[in-house]
Amino acid sequence: MKISSRLFSTDHLEELVKRLLPVCFSLRLQELVVTAQEVTLVLVSGQSAACCPLCEEPSARVHSHYTRTLQDLPWGPLRVQLRLRVHRFFCQNPSCPRKIFSEPLSGFAQRSARRTTRLREALLVTGWALGGQAGARHCAAHTMPISGTTLLSLLRRWGSVAKRTPRVLGVDDWSFQARSSGTLLVDLEQHCPVEVLLGSDEHVLTDWLLAHPGVEVIVRDRGASYLKGAIKGAPQAQQVVDRWHLLKNLGEVIQKTLAQQIDVIRQAGEQMKKNIRQTSLTPPAPAPPDDRRRKPPRRKPPPPSPRRAWQTAMHQQVHELAARGDNPGRNRQEPASAPQHGAQIPADANVCGPLLPSSSHTSRTVPDLSGRARAGSERS
């Protein structure tokens, strides 16, 4: 790691470190190393005596020294790492099982911790607010790198807050998996869970109630195990049935009551069917004169298309000609009076009108027609 600057101990620097690291014991700054991303403080503890954590007997006999590495709150965009040199002391109490103990950093860091107490508290606040992954991203943006898994581990270890014993306790069983069950305890006044117990027998509930006295009302189901556990753990508490089981009990009682009166219910049903049939057979009452039914609106037919209008006109014309006695199939160029039977037709007459295409064909067929006409008149 490339070092951009190196500072050594001075009076002004010592005062700055004391302001930035408020601790209850004396610390001496030996060296300060600044890099592009991190500030490293090399510190030495100035305590000459300490108390044993077991027997609490003070001792000033130094055994050795060792260095602890701690992460602290960042200084702006720079991470802060503390390399703190502390003492090991001999315990002066011959009856104490611990012969050597390390110097405690009370209020500054826990034993065997890698973070200072104030950094841990800042991480816990972020973890409670945002959770694992979101909290890790927020901490990384504020120069406190930590993974989401480690943040959740801190919440499980240090984030549990001692809650008061609820006055109204709700008890019910629930299942972790298919074959393992537990007991869920809920504070019904605050509407929040209190604790989850492993197991759903009477001994689990009894042990918890004995360890947390002060429960006045226990709301439970109808199970015999919770009944015995509540009697043994909190005999002074009043036991009531929860709302769901209360409604279930009410439904079962109503079902049993109606089952005993099944004959009466059937008779009432048959009588109701008869009344409905008689009502349906009676003629309906006439409607009042003022109650007039509204006719549906008339819709105008769409105008006919040009082709449909032409067809209608032609159809009407054919019927008019048939009513006058004219032959609709006759051509308009046909003569007004037809020749009488037996009358002679001139040779140059065109009996077929415009249907004959040429005069040669007319001259060839007209004499034949004249001969047939003469033959008919002689026969008569």
Side-chain angles (χ1 to χ4, degrees):
M1 182 182 296
K2 185 178 179 180
I3 299 175
S4 60
S5 62
R6 184 183 296 271
L7 301 176
F8 295 91
S9 176
T10 62
D11 295 337
H12 299 286
L13 192 58
E14 288 281 352
E15 186 67 22
L16 177 63
V17 171
K18 290 180 180 179
R19 295 291 182 181
L20 295 177
L21 299 176
V23 294
C24 59
F25 54 92
S26 60
L27 291 176
R28 295 195 308 269
L29 179 64
Q30 286 188 342
E31 189 179 2
L32 189 146
V33 181
V34 181
T35 63
Q37 299 178 353
E38 190 178 58
V39 176
T40 303
L41 300 177
V42 181
L43 304 172
V44 177
S45 175
Q47 297 185 99
S48 59
C51 296
C52 177
L54 293 183
C55 63
E56 298 182 355
E57 184 174 346
S59 174
R61 184 183 175 186
V62 179
H63 174 270
S64 59
H65 302 83
Y66 77 102
T67 302
R68 293 186 60 178
T69 303
L70 302 172
Q71 294 291 332
D72 196 19
L73 290 175
W75 292 359
L78 300 177
R79 297 192 302 267
V80 177
Q81 185 179 24
L82 306 179
R83 294 182 180 177
L84 182 59
R85 185 182 181 186
V86 296
H87 307 284
R88 288 193 179 96
F89 295 96
F90 286 100
C91 183
Q92 300 297 326
N93 187 3
S95 61
C96 182
R98 177 167 294 183
K99 303 302 179 182
I100 301 173
F101 64 92
S102 60
E103 178 184 352
L105 304 178
S106 57
F108 187 70
Q110 298 290 332
R111 292 184 178 274
S112 304
R114 296 298 182 91
R115 300 179 184 87
T116 60
T117 303
R118 59 180 184 175
L119 176 60
R120 186 194 67 201
E121 292 176 355
L123 295 176
L124 289 176
V125 171
T126 305
W128 280 119
L130 300 178
Q133 295 297 331
R137 291 191 295 267
H138 180 79
C139 292
H142 290 78
T143 326
M144 295 183 295
I146 189 174
S147 65
T149 306
T150 306
L151 189 58
L152 293 179
S153 299
L154 286 177
L155 292 177
R156 296 188 186 99
R157 184 177 181 182
W158 301 98
S160 58
V161 181
K163 298 182 180 180
R164 65 179 184 84
T165 302
R167 190 181 68 88
V168 181
L169 179 66
V171 182
D172 200 357
D173 56 344
W174 74 299
S175 178
F176 293 98
Q177 295 177 355
R179 298 181 179 178
S180 60
S181 59
T183 301
L184 180 62
L185 305 180
V186 181
D187 188 351
L188 297 183
E189 291 183 333
Q190 301 295 330
H191 302 283
C192 61
V194 176
E195 196 169 347
V196 178
L197 306 179
L198 299 178
S200 58
D201 53 352
E202 58 179 290
H203 303 287
V204 174
L205 181 59
T206 301
D207 296 341
W208 190 91
L209 291 175
L210 292 176
H212 300 81
V215 179
E216 299 180 5
V217 180
I218 298 178
V219 182
R220 59 174 182 81
D221 57 4
R222 299 178 297 175
S225 59
Y226 290 150
L227 171 62
K228 297 178 182 179
I231 294 175
K232 295 179 181 179
Q236 77 285 351
Q238 181 181 3
Q239 301 185 28
V240 298
V241 182
D242 57 13
R243 186 180 304 174
W244 187 86
H245 288 90
L246 184 63
L247 294 176
K248 185 177 181 181
N249 293 346
L250 179 62
E252 292 179 356
V253 171
I254 293 176
Q255 185 177 3
K256 292 180 180 179
T257 304
L258 295 179
Q260 296 175 358
Q261 305 293 332
I262 188 64
D263 297 334
V264 179
I265 296 175
R266 288 178 180 176
Q267 293 178 2
E270 293 177 358
Q271 184 65 29
M272 182 64 67
K273 290 181 180 179
K274 292 180 181 180
N275 296 338
I276 293 175
R277 291 174 183 175
Q278 293 178 1
T279 306
S280 61
L281 293 177
T282 56
D290 295 339
D291 188 11
R292 298 180 181 179
R293 293 184 179 179
R294 185 178 180 181
K295 295 182 179 180
R298 295 182 180 180
R299 297 181 180 179
K300 296 180 180 180
S305 61
R307 181 177 180 83
R308 182 62 179 171
W310 177 81
Q311 292 178 352
T312 305
M314 293 299 297
H315 184 269
Q316 185 178 2
Q317 185 179 1
V318 169
H319 279 276
E320 291 177 357
L321 293 175
R324 291 200 304 264
D326 298 338
N327 187 3
R330 186 178 298 174
N331 197 294
R332 295 180 180 179
Q333 297 181 1
E334 187 177 1
S337 59
Q340 298 179 359
H341 180 72
Q344 296 182 0
I345 302 176
D348 56 350
N350 188 2
V351 294
C352 295
L355 297 177
L356 299 178
S358 62
S359 59
S360 61
H361 183 75
T362 305
S363 60
R364 186 170 56 251
T365 56
V366 169
D368 298 338
L369 295 175
S370 303
R372 293 179 182 179
R374 295 190 189 98
S377 59
E378 291 177 357
R379 293 176 183 175
S380 58

